[in-house]
Structure formats: C-alpha cells, structure tokens
Amino acid sequence: EMCIRDRAQGLHFGLKAGVLGNKADIHGMSSQIKEENQTGFQVGPMLQYQTGFYGLALDFSLLYVQRGVKLTNTANGASTDVKTQSIDIPIELKWEMGISDNFDLFLGVGPSFSFLVDEDNWGRKLAHIAVDVIDKDLSSMGWRSTEVGINLGGGVKIVNHLMLSCYYNIGLTQSAKHHIGGNKHDAIDQIFDGDVFESKNRYWQLSLSYVF
C-alpha cells in the first residue's frame, strides 16, 4: 500500500553522477546539415532538504556537465562533434511516496540554470565539414553564456540513501544563435549565407545519487 513518506526534517549532503542524451533543437541551418544526439555526462555535489511535510523535499545540485551534438554534411558525408562544458544548478521540488520501508517513489519538477565555462568553436568545425580545406581561423559564433530550462521526471529511492532518477530537460532559452552572412570570403558564409542558426538544448538525464 502506497503512503506518503515523512522523513526526518533537515539538510542532507549527497553526490550525483549521470549520463544525458542531448538533442540540440536546431533551426535555420541549411538543409544539408543533419544533427544527431551525443551522450554527455554530469557529476557533482548535491543538497537535499527534507521539509518533513507530506513527503516534500527540495534538491539543490551543483553539476559539471558536458553536452554534445554531431553535425554531418549530407552532401559530402563529413561530420564533426561540437561539445560544451558548463556548470549546471538544478533545483527540484520532489514528492516522495513510500512503497515499503526501504523503497520510495518520487516525482520532481524544477528549473535548471546552466553557465557555460568552455565550448568548441562550432563556426570553425562547421566550416571544416562544409568545405574540403580552410586555411584561416573563424571566430566562435553564437554560444550563449547562460541557459535556463525546466526538469520534469522522477525515480526511486532505496534504503533512504540511494536515488536512481530520470528527468527530461526542456530548454527555455537559446543555447546558441547566430546570423550567418555578410563576408563572402569566409567559407562558412559561402555555404550558409543568410541562414539564422538557433539552438535550444533538450535532453534526457539518467542519474545516480547517494544522500548521506
């Protein structure tokens, strides 16, 4: 019989690690470029605050996250991986439901704030697959330093310490935007002149956490 689980009120420290399947929602690129999922990872500390009120808890995490997308030029078969590294701060409101003394189910929802710390130069990488040879550097184009999304999902908690969770993140803000054009001497402009590149991150997260 399912019941609402009231745990001891207070803060509990934990660690979280997991994988994520990124799907960059890209618009405005030339139809000859195809994007594919890349598996990324996340790892970092977390805090869980048990409210002691009807099974409600708050989770705060500070995660190092790597995301990626594979871009392929369908005209010549050339491809490249574009990756970013960020610090993500997801905040989750969770509702825990007890199944047995050692097994709980939970549902969670909350915002996630992402702060870019390093990124590939996707302009140069895109130029490499658009043409055979390029002799000069291109400036990095369009990455946004901050993103905001929302996490939806749930999972299981075992013996009140180990949590296996699955969440889907919906990007509310753009991860990248750039208007391509204006310099016909750049190979990237010759191929994609006039396109407006826009991207939002959407991804599944499968993570394992241990709360002390």
Side-chain angles (χ1 to χ4, degrees):
E1 180 179 344
M2 186 177 294
C3 63
I4 295 172
R5 182 82 70 191
D6 279 329
R7 298 299 188 188
Q9 184 177 357
L11 277 173
H12 304 273
F13 175 77
L15 297 172
K16 179 185 289 188
V19 296
L20 53 89
N22 190 53
K23 176 63 173 74
D25 187 13
I26 294 177
H27 297 283
M29 286 297 268
S30 171
S31 59
Q32 74 187 68
I33 297 295
K34 178 181 70 171
E35 70 273 5
E36 299 175 73
N37 290 351
Q38 288 267 293
T39 300
F41 67 88
Q42 57 184 13
V43 62
M46 63 173 289
L47 284 175
Q48 183 174 88
Y49 178 69
Q50 294 284 352
T51 67
F53 181 75
Y54 290 101
L56 292 177
L58 279 172
D59 279 7
F60 306 86
S61 301
L62 182 68
L63 304 174
Y64 174 82
V65 180
Q66 179 174 289
R67 299 181 181 85
V69 62
K70 181 178 181 181
L71 301 177
T72 302
N73 185 341
T74 56
N76 61 15
S79 64
T80 188
D81 295 337
V82 183
K83 298 184 185 298
T84 62
Q85 291 82 40
S86 63
I87 299 297
D88 285 18
I89 305 176
I91 303 170
E92 302 167 17
L93 177 64
K94 294 166 56 176
W95 181 46
E96 299 182 355
M97 299 157 283
I99 301 299
S100 69
D101 287 342
N102 295 317
F103 190 81
D104 298 346
L105 293 177
F106 61 84
L107 299 175
V109 62
S112 179
F113 304 92
S114 181
F115 303 93
L116 193 66
V117 293
D118 195 18
E119 76 280 353
D120 285 343
N121 183 335
W122 74 261
R124 182 163 177 77
K125 287 188 173 239
L126 195 60
H128 271 297
I129 67 173
V131 295
D132 292 332
V133 178
I134 186 167
D135 295 326
K136 66 176 182 175
D137 289 335
L138 291 173
S139 61
S140 188
M141 301 189 298
W143 289 114
R144 298 297 175 89
S145 61
T146 305
E147 299 173 52
V148 180
I150 187 167
N151 285 326
L152 301 166
V156 296
K157 180 187 276 188
I158 304 169
V159 296
N160 202 30
H161 291 286
L162 191 65
M163 292 186 291
L164 178 65
S165 59
C166 182
Y167 282 87
Y168 186 63
N169 181 282
I170 302 170
L172 301 179
T173 59
Q174 294 167 331
S175 59
K177 184 175 182 179
H178 190 82
H179 183 274
I180 302 171
N183 186 352
K184 294 297 184 182
H185 298 293
D186 278 353
I188 197 72
D189 288 331
Q190 293 172 23
I191 302 297
F192 300 105
D193 184 38
D195 285 348
V196 178
F197 173 84
E198 294 180 283
S199 176
K200 287 184 178 180
N201 280 319
R202 296 188 177 191
Y203 52 90
W204 288 100
Q205 307 162 80
L206 184 64
S207 61
L208 190 65
S209 308
Y210 189 87
V211 179
F212 296 95

